[in-house]
Amino acid sequence: SFVGYLVGDGHISRVKRVVGLTTGDEAQAIAFKELGSSLFGLSARLKLDGNRFRVLFHSEGLADFLTVKLGLTHGPSAREKQIPDLVRRSPAHVVRAFLRAYYDCDGHAGKSGVILVTSSDALAEQTQLLLLNFGILSRKRRAKDDCWRLQIQGKSAQAFSEKIGFGLVR
């Protein structure tokens, strides 16, 4: 889940030695803060910045672990983001937790089905492959804003709801 949040709405700065999440959802900010605290024994700063919540873990060690050991991107890198190999090779319950957190950040559900938006070519393809492992079919198309839209409809949307789901109530 922690990595899913980071791939979705997170950021890592090795220069500033910070790992953070920016979200408009207070419940998500609190969940990320508590998860990071329980996993790494670190306290985070949670602040309201306009209409967004920012959660910041100040730790060079955590930033190094996430970038060097797990291969997460750092700095401005939305188009280069990928799902870490370790997550892609993990058991189903780990992949499920990753996808749920990632969809909480960059996905939504409505009349058009379940839709995920990303600017990363690799992330779109890797997410689609992980969904297939759960028997969930998705359609990938590039939109006018040059972002990828992964759309899940029909029986696959029902399978997504049952096998992955969203962690946020909204």
Side-chain angles (χ1 to χ4, degrees), residues 79 115-119 121 124 139-150:
R79 292 196 180 278
I115 297 174
L116 179 90
V117 179
T118 180
S119 61
D121 297 345
R139 179 176 47 200
K140 181 177 78 170
R141 67 177 178 82
R142 193 176 292 276
K144 292 178 184 176
D145 63 0
D146 205 32
C147 288
W148 288 104
R149 304 277 191 282
L150 258 61

Side-chain angles (χ1 to χ4, degrees), residues 5-166:
Y5 286 131
L6 285 174
V7 169
D9 286 336
H11 60 278
I12 301 169
S13 173
R14 293 186 71 192
V15 173
K16 294 182 180 179
R17 301 178 186 110
V18 69
V19 174
L21 179 80
T22 303
T23 178
D25 195 304
E26 184 177 18
Q28 187 176 45
I30 291 169
F32 181 74
K33 179 181 187 243
E34 291 175 354
L35 187 57
S37 294
S38 68
L39 288 172
F40 306 109
L42 299 170
S43 58
R45 186 170 156 217
L46 172 63
K47 67 178 186 171
L48 183 60
D49 185 7
N51 62 349
R52 297 179 184 186
F53 294 90
R54 297 191 190 278
V55 181
L56 302 172
F57 289 95
H58 293 275
S59 171
E60 183 176 15
L62 180 57
D64 287 347
F65 170 73
L66 294 168
T67 56
V68 175
K69 297 293 185 188
L70 290 187
L72 291 176
T73 59
H74 58 94
S77 58
R79 292 196 180 278
E80 289 80 42
K81 284 188 175 184
Q82 294 191 38
I83 299 172
D85 188 51
L86 185 64
V87 171
R88 287 183 277 148
R89 293 184 287 118
S90 290
H93 73 278
V94 173
V95 175
R96 183 179 296 112
F98 169 86
L99 286 171
R100 184 176 299 122
Y102 179 41
Y103 267 83
D104 278 351
C105 293
D106 289 345
H108 66 276
K111 290 182 180 183
S112 299
V114 179
I115 297 174
L116 179 90
V117 179
T118 180
S119 61
S120 167
D121 297 345
L123 197 47
E125 185 174 321
Q126 292 165 349
T127 302
Q128 198 169 34
L129 289 171
L130 287 182
L131 291 169
L132 278 174
N133 289 334
F134 289 96
I136 300 168
L137 301 175
S138 62
R139 179 176 47 200
K140 181 177 78 170
R141 67 177 178 82
R142 193 176 292 276
K144 292 178 184 176
D145 63 0
D146 205 32
C147 288
W148 288 104
R149 304 277 191 282
L150 258 61
Q151 184 177 27
I152 305 168
Q153 294 180 301
K155 290 182 181 180
S156 285
Q158 181 64 36
F160 178 89
S161 176
E162 293 167 0
K163 297 177 181 179
I164 308 295
F166 286 94

